Amino acid sequence: LGFTLILIGIKIISMVRKSFKVDVVSAQEAKLITSGAYAIVRHPVYLAWVLIFTGWSFILDSPLAILFVPVLTIFLAAHSLYEERYILIPKYDDLYSRYYKKVPWRLFSPPYNYLIIIIGIIVAYLGLVSYVFPS
């Protein structure tokens, strides 16, 4: 499972890299990218890092790292909210507003995200139990 999550994260990052046409762009010339991985989720790099970190925590069998995944997810969600509100909406205004309505900020929207949260809690609980009571 860990290797699968890491491979999915790496694939998402490679899809994001393919979305960029040029290597270096000034801030004034930057354009909003809405194709590739950005057509699926608004912040694909954040999703990729959460998947990679989750995969590593499974591979290393670290319950503390597994318990840190929700903290990382909340931090990245808050950062993406800040980024959208104070950088992207003022810069791209109407274009970003249409993109905002069309593309979700997370991969799984309700009610599927609740199922993922429940699975995450169960996995974190089992990791904590195996850490506290090793066999």
Side-chain angles (χ1 to χ4, degrees):
L1 180 64
F3 285 116
T4 304
L5 291 174
I6 290 172
L7 289 175
I8 291 170
I10 291 171
K11 178 62 178 169
I12 291 171
I13 289 175
S14 70
M15 288 173 59
V16 168
R17 290 193 57 123
K18 289 179 185 176
S19 298
F20 295 109
K21 303 282 190 262
V22 293
D23 292 330
V24 178
V25 177
S26 69
Q28 290 79 18
E29 297 173 353
K31 295 184 176 154
L32 184 65
I33 299 173
T34 58
S35 61
Y38 290 95
I40 300 168
V41 64
R42 286 197 306 258
H43 301 282
V45 175
Y46 298 158
L47 171 66
W49 282 115
V50 168
L51 291 173
I52 289 170
F53 186 80
T54 306
W56 272 114
S57 59
F58 282 145
I59 289 171
L60 298 175
D61 195 26
S62 171
L64 296 177
I66 291 172
L67 292 175
F68 184 70
V69 170
V71 174
L72 175 68
T73 305
I74 290 169
F75 173 75
L76 290 175
H79 185 270
S80 67
L81 179 66
Y82 172 82
E83 186 179 28
E84 287 179 344
R85 183 172 291 162
Y86 296 109
I87 298 171
L88 296 171
I89 291 175
K91 183 172 183 168
Y92 298 109
D93 197 28
D94 188 44
L95 181 63
Y96 193 79
S97 296
R98 285 182 297 197
Y99 175 69
Y100 182 88
K101 291 176 185 172
K102 184 175 120 180
V103 178
W105 69 275
R106 57 186 171 206
L107 187 59
F108 299 104
S109 56
Y112 302 111
N113 64 334
Y114 301 124
L115 178 64
I116 302 238
I117 290 170
I118 291 169
I119 292 170
I121 290 170
I122 292 170
V123 167
Y125 175 75
L126 292 175
L128 187 62
V129 167
S130 70
Y131 183 73
V132 174
F133 303 111
S135 55

